[in-house]
Amino acid sequence: MVRIAQFSADAFIGAAIALVAEDGPTAASIPAIARRVGAPTGSLYHRFPSKAAVLAAAWAEVHGDFTRAMVPPLAEGRAGAAALTLVQWARAKPRLARFLLLNDFALLVDGAPVPDEWRAAIARQEEALDTAFRALLGGEVPAAAAARLRFLVFDAPIAALRPHLLAQGPVPEFVDDLVAGLHDARPQLGQVA
């Protein structure tokens, strides 16, 4: 008789995301992830060879969701819409936003080896974002102009979101106004395209 797995890889990934989002990377130990699912620790090891593997799988899932949201407005050359998409994504998916936007992948896995499968998935997502951002730039631009636009699309919205994500509270509507205002001021800041 074939034994059906009681605890799925997705359940462990979801638990890792929740633990990191709630209490930071150190909260996502192997025993804590298993306990969150209600599974024995060995069940997690049947699906993932290490803590770094389950966290990399979680990162790939969340970063993939973020990438799917961000690529269309970037590729269409809509910087302001991309920045607002980031804010709206964080508002709609606060747990995912806390996991992704408040952490750094290298620190999350703490230098441990990451299985090739997850490393490749994350690299493909990064390349999709980079390609879409290059489309937003519309060609060769000075490095300073590209850095300024990257700040307006990614860094400024994340900075505006950060206190609300850290407080685990809702993202207020004024964050949209703040981010939109930065893009309204782009001509004075030296518009890229």
Side-chain angles (χ1 to χ4, degrees), residues 70-79 82 128-129 131-138:
M70 292 297 292
V71 163
L74 289 171
E76 294 164 5
R78 300 181 305 126
L129 279 172
T131 299
F133 186 74
R134 285 191 299 273
L136 175 67
L137 292 173

Side-chain angles (χ1 to χ4, degrees), residues 8-74:
S8 70
D10 287 343
F12 292 116
I13 291 169
I17 292 167
L19 288 165
V20 171
E22 292 164 9
D23 295 311
T26 57
S29 66
I30 291 290
I33 294 168
R35 202 169 32 253
R36 183 72 171 240
V37 173
T41 303
S43 290
L44 191 148
Y45 281 116
H46 282 290
R47 284 146 192 85
F48 298 98
S50 66
K51 174 183 170 179
V54 70
L55 289 172
W59 188 273
E61 181 175 306
V62 176
H63 191 262
D65 191 78
F66 176 78
T67 300
R68 287 186 295 278
M70 292 297 292
V71 163
L74 289 171

